[in-house]
């Protein structure tokens, strides 16, 4: 059929249509001699569509584009997937330069490949790429971060993966591992423009339930929460003498919100006692006390072991009930009762 098509392309529309019908007459006549019901192949149908119904051949451009994307992804992965050998240093150096250039010229196909690479590559290598980009756009040339900031609309997927890598890069363990102010402001701008980086946990419960994994697959490891809480506690101690009580309170509110969503969606699986022990090191916060003490709405889809989130039904300490030994908790005031339901948003207080 390809030879026939090339011949038809040299004809005018009317003669091409007549030629198609002539060839189809011969084609189906020969098929009828061998089978009572001839099979209509894709080739004749495409010829009819192109030369009789005048549908341009570009109708198949989308599948071809998808194929090109797949090939591009495979080549990119072959070039830059770490192999655990001496070539990895050269591989990572070249990757950093390529992605940095792609950001500079807003080359979307390369950014999309880099996003896939970041998603499936071990974090130690993702951190190296993130550091190379931060060095190029936050440190070397003042003001160049605006170039990085503008790619959000071009490749949100890359920006999402970049945020994840930056989070792993800056663990706040030293002055060198504190993110630059410009970088933080850029990420905040991205998140305000499209908060779906943040809302993924809200849709997670449905997906886990559909795959019968709700309550079985913890996507947020409890071990990762330990250094986070320890860092918040350390920073709170440092800010205490500076009359920064409002900032500390806001940080603890944010932590409580994140914990509530993670637990209610089934992303964070941990015992209530473990979470209480971990958060007991933090300054007192009403919202945090409410979250770690329950109750969280029970999901009807799957059962968790007793004592695990999100199945908690005991009333929170100091909320809606008088403790058995009130003198043992003088720092906790009595509060009115609360109905705590997952999925209900917390009051938002903007960061100042």
């Amino acid at each position: 059929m390809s030879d026939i098509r090339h011949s038809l392309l040299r004809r005018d529309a009317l003669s091409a249509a007549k030629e198609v019908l002539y060839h189809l007459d011969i084609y189906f006549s020969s098929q009828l001699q061998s089978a009572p019901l001839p099979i209509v192949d894709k080739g004749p149908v495409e010829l009819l569509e192109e030369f009789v119904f005048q549908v341009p051949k570009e109708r198949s451009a989308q599948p071809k584009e998808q194929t090109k994307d797949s090939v591009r992804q495979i080549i990119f992965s072959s070039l830059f997937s770490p192999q655990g050998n001496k070539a990895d240093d050269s591989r990572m150096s070249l990757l950093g330069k390529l992605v940095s250039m792609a950001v500079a010229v807003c080359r979307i196909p390369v950014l999309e490949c880099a996003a896939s690479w970041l998603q499936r590559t071990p974090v130690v290598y993702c951190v190296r790429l993130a550091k190379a980009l931060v060095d190029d756009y936050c440190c070397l040339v003042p003001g160049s971060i605006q170039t990085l900031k503008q790619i959000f609309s071009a490749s949100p997927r890359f920006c999402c993966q970049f945020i994840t890598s930056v989070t792993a890069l800056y663990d706040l363990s030293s002055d060198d591992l504190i993110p630059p102010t410009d970088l933080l402001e850029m990420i905040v701008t991205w998140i305000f423009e499209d908060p779906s980086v943040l809302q993924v946990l809200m849709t997670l419960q449905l997906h886990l339930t559909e795959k019968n994994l709700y309550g079985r697959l913890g996507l947020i490891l409890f071990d990762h929460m330990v250094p986070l809480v320890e860092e918040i506690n350390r920073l709170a101690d440092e800010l205490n003498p500076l009359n920064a009580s409002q900032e500390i309170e806001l940080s603890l509110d944010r932590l409580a919100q994140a914990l509530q969503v993670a637990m209610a969606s089934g992303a964070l699986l941990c015992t209530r006692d473990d979470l209480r022990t971990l958060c007991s090191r933090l300054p007192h916060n009403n919202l945090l006390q409410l979250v770690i003490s329950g109750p969280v709405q029970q999901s009807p889809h799957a059962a968790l072991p007793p004592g695990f989130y999100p199945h908690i039904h005991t009333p929170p300490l100091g909320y809606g009930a008088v403790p058995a030994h009130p003198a043992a908790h003088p720092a906790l005031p009595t509060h009115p009762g609360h109905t705590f339901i997952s999925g209900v948003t917390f009051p938002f207080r903007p960061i100042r």
Side-chain angles (χ1 to χ4, degrees), residues 60-111:
S60 59
Q62 184 62 28
K64 286 185 176 179
E65 183 64 30
Q66 292 174 352
T67 301
K68 284 180 61 178
D69 288 342
S70 300
V71 172
R72 186 185 298 117
Q73 292 281 358
I74 293 173
I75 294 175
F76 194 95
S77 179
S78 300
L79 284 171
F80 299 115
S81 291
Q83 303 299 318
N85 54 32
K86 294 181 179 179
D88 281 351
D89 287 340
S90 299
R91 186 177 283 111
M92 291 302 303
S93 176
L94 180 59
L95 176 62
K97 295 174 182 177
L98 174 64
V99 178
S100 182
M101 181 64 70
V103 170
V105 299
C106 196
R107 189 63 179 167
I108 298 176
V110 177
L111 295 175

Side-chain angles (χ1 to χ4, degrees), residues 98-142:
L98 174 64
V99 178
S100 182
M101 181 64 70
V103 170
V105 299
C106 196
R107 189 63 179 167
I108 298 176
V110 177
L111 295 175
E112 290 295 305
C113 287
S116 297
W117 184 92
L118 287 167
Q119 190 170 14
R120 60 173 176 260
T121 303
V123 66
V124 63
Y125 297 101
C126 297
V127 164
R128 290 179 63 177
L129 177 58
K131 188 176 187 308
L133 294 176
V134 171
D135 288 343
D136 286 351
Y137 289 97
C138 298
C139 303
L140 293 182
V141 182

Side-chain angles (χ1 to χ4, degrees), residues 55 58 64 157 165 254-255 308 346:
V55 178
E58 285 70 24
K64 286 185 176 179
R157 186 162 164 259
S165 301
R254 293 287 185 262
L255 175 64
F308 272 72
F346 293 102

Side-chain angles (χ1 to χ4, degrees), residues 4-319:
I4 296 175
R5 180 177 182 275
H6 288 305
S7 174
L8 295 173
L9 287 172
R10 294 192 290 266
R11 296 173 176 266
D12 61 86
L14 181 59
S15 62
K18 291 180 179 180
E19 189 72 13
V20 167
L21 295 176
Y22 169 74
H23 283 290
L24 290 182
D25 179 55
I26 297 175
Y27 175 77
F28 288 121
S29 295
S30 63
Q31 279 210 350
L32 281 170
Q33 293 178 4
S34 57
L37 292 175
I39 300 174
V40 182
D41 294 330
K42 184 179 180 181
V45 173
E46 289 184 345
L47 290 179
L48 283 171
E49 290 176 349
E50 183 173 4
F51 295 102
V52 175
F53 299 110
Q54 299 296 307
V55 178
K57 184 65 176 176
E58 285 70 24
R59 65 187 182 280
S60 59
Q62 184 62 28
K64 286 185 176 179
E65 183 64 30
Q66 292 174 352
T67 301
K68 284 180 61 178
D69 288 342
S70 300
V71 172
R72 186 185 298 117
Q73 292 281 358
I74 293 173
I75 294 175
F76 194 95
S77 179
S78 300
L79 284 171
F80 299 115
S81 291
Q83 303 299 318
N85 54 32
K86 294 181 179 179
D88 281 351
D89 287 340
S90 299
R91 186 177 283 111
M92 291 302 303
S93 176
L94 180 59
L95 176 62
K97 295 174 182 177
L98 174 64
V99 178
S100 182
M101 181 64 70
V103 170
V105 299
C106 196
R107 189 63 179 167
I108 298 176
V110 177
L111 295 175
E112 290 295 305
C113 287
S116 297
W117 184 92
L118 287 167
Q119 190 170 14
R120 60 173 176 260
T121 303
V123 66
V124 63
Y125 297 101
C126 297
V127 164
R128 290 179 63 177
L129 177 58
K131 188 176 187 308
L133 294 176
V134 171
D135 288 343
D136 286 351
Y137 289 97
C138 298
C139 303
L140 293 182
V141 182
S144 60
I145 195 169
Q146 292 300 320
T147 303
L148 181 61
K149 182 179 179 180
Q150 291 171 1
I151 67 167
F152 177 76
S153 58
S155 181
R157 186 162 164 259
F158 172 79
C159 294
C160 178
Q161 297 300 325
F162 176 72
I163 292 174
T164 303
S165 301
V166 165
T167 303
L169 170 61
Y170 293 105
D171 63 2
L172 309 179
S173 60
S174 66
D175 290 342
D176 293 334
L177 294 178
I178 296 176
T181 303
D182 288 347
L183 179 63
L184 287 176
E185 291 178 350
M186 179 191 72
I187 292 176
V188 168
T189 301
W190 284 352
I191 293 174
F192 268 105
E193 290 182 5
D194 182 4
S196 60
V197 175
L198 296 179
Q199 296 172 348
V200 63
L201 289 177
M202 300 298 291
T203 62
L204 182 62
Q205 181 176 344
L206 175 61
H207 296 300
L208 291 176
T209 301
E210 288 176 348
K211 298 181 182 298
N212 198 28
L213 292 174
Y214 183 77
R216 300 180 180 182
L217 179 64
L219 300 181
I220 301 176
L221 299 180
F222 182 76
D223 289 345
H224 291 174
M225 297 299 303
V226 175
L228 173 63
V229 172
E230 289 177 347
E231 182 63 22
I232 293 176
N233 190 47
R234 184 185 68 81
L235 292 173
D237 288 341
E238 290 182 2
L239 291 173
N240 231 2
L242 303 178
N243 296 322
S245 58
Q246 291 185 351
E247 288 78 6
I248 295 174
E249 186 78 5
L250 179 59
S251 298
L252 295 175
D253 283 349
R254 293 287 185 262
L255 175 64
Q257 292 171 351
L259 286 174
Q260 157 64 6
V261 174
M263 292 183 297
S265 64
L268 175 61
L269 304 180
C270 62
T271 65
R272 178 171 50 193
D273 290 339
D274 286 343
L275 197 61
R276 280 177 171 171
T277 301
L278 177 64
C279 294
S280 65
R281 312 170 193 175
L282 296 171
H284 176 76
N285 175 270
N286 290 340
L287 187 57
L288 185 60
Q289 285 294 317
L290 182 62
V291 170
I292 66 177
S293 300
V296 178
Q297 185 180 29
Q298 179 173 351
S299 168
H301 303 295
L304 289 172
F308 272 72
Y309 279 108
H311 295 181
I312 297 174
H313 302 285
T314 57
L317 182 63
Y319 288 82

